[in-house]
Amino acid sequence: PWAAFLHVAVAAWTFGNQALFPSRWSILRPFGEVILGIDLAAYDAVIDDYRNGRVTSVTWDLVSARFLDFSREGAWLLMLIFVACAAYYIVYYLWLLLLKPFLKPSVLLLSACLARSCPACCMCAREKEDGARSKPHRDAVVEMMAKGITCSYKLSDNLRYRSAYKALEHTRDKLMQADLARSKGSALSLLSVAEGDKPQAPEVVVEKF
């Protein structure tokens, strides 16, 4: 889509150039003046300054004037395509970056309401739902894994959290080893204390006659 949009922009810029393809204004000129905020008198002044060398750099006024050339008869169709593509991308990125988190629940609710009001949509949705429910769990898990979808709540089954799972397992093993070593040390100390507290047997002296 971006390639087509840029292609239309370059084509309209070229066919609107009066030095290459001179043509008259079309009925879309007032529409272009409203969008670009430049009237015909300002357009003539900017183009005259640019052609006579009084302005040598590319300014926003020059760009607006050249965009107004899109509304000439040689490029009016390209202008309509350009405006449609520009409006699509503006709405798309506005929805993607700003409005989607706020309006997505409303869109889902509206789509559900439309699906209920349309019998054909309800039938298709019900068939899809029945088909999804009739699939065995094992087959559904295999299909989800093939699509890269997480099919479990375990950290070990989630690719994004597998490193965290390994770190937690490593920490748990270290703690278990430390507890085992501590318990062995405690047992040995208790054993040594118990052996030290044993009463010693009295020495028996045998006298020889």
Side-chain angles (χ1 to χ4, degrees), residues 24-156:
R24 296 176 298 178
W25 294 107
S26 68
I27 58 175
L28 297 177
R29 181 175 62 83
F31 177 69
E33 291 178 352
V34 172
I35 293 179
L36 299 171
I38 183 173
D39 56 4
L40 188 58
Y43 167 85
D44 293 334
V46 170
I47 295 299
D48 185 68
D49 292 340
Y50 182 74
R51 287 178 177 174
N52 294 327
R54 288 189 291 269
V55 177
T56 57
S57 61
V58 178
T59 61
W60 176 248
D61 292 335
L62 176 62
V63 173
S64 300
R66 289 293 289 112
F67 273 121
L68 188 61
D69 284 329
F70 288 11
S71 61
R72 291 184 177 272
E73 291 182 350
W76 66 270
L77 182 59
L78 294 172
M79 176 186 175
L80 293 179
I81 300 174
F82 177 82
V83 171
C85 292
Y88 167 78
Y89 279 115
I90 290 173
V91 172
Y92 174 76
Y93 284 107
L94 189 64
W95 164 261
L96 184 65
L97 302 176
L98 183 62
L99 299 178
K100 186 176 181 180
F102 304 101
L103 298 181
K104 189 174 181 179
S106 301
V107 173
L108 292 176
L109 180 62
L110 181 61
S111 61
C113 294
L114 291 177
R116 289 184 179 181
S117 61
C118 179
C121 296
C122 286
M123 188 175 298
C124 293
R126 190 171 300 170
E127 290 178 357
K128 291 181 181 179
E129 185 177 358
D130 293 339
R133 288 181 178 178
S134 62
K135 185 176 297 184
H137 178 265
R138 184 177 301 175
D139 297 340
V141 169
V142 173
E143 183 178 353
M144 292 174 68
M145 293 178 64
K147 293 180 179 180
I149 302 174
T150 303
C151 56
S152 174
Y153 288 102
K154 297 180 179 179
L155 290 177
S156 57

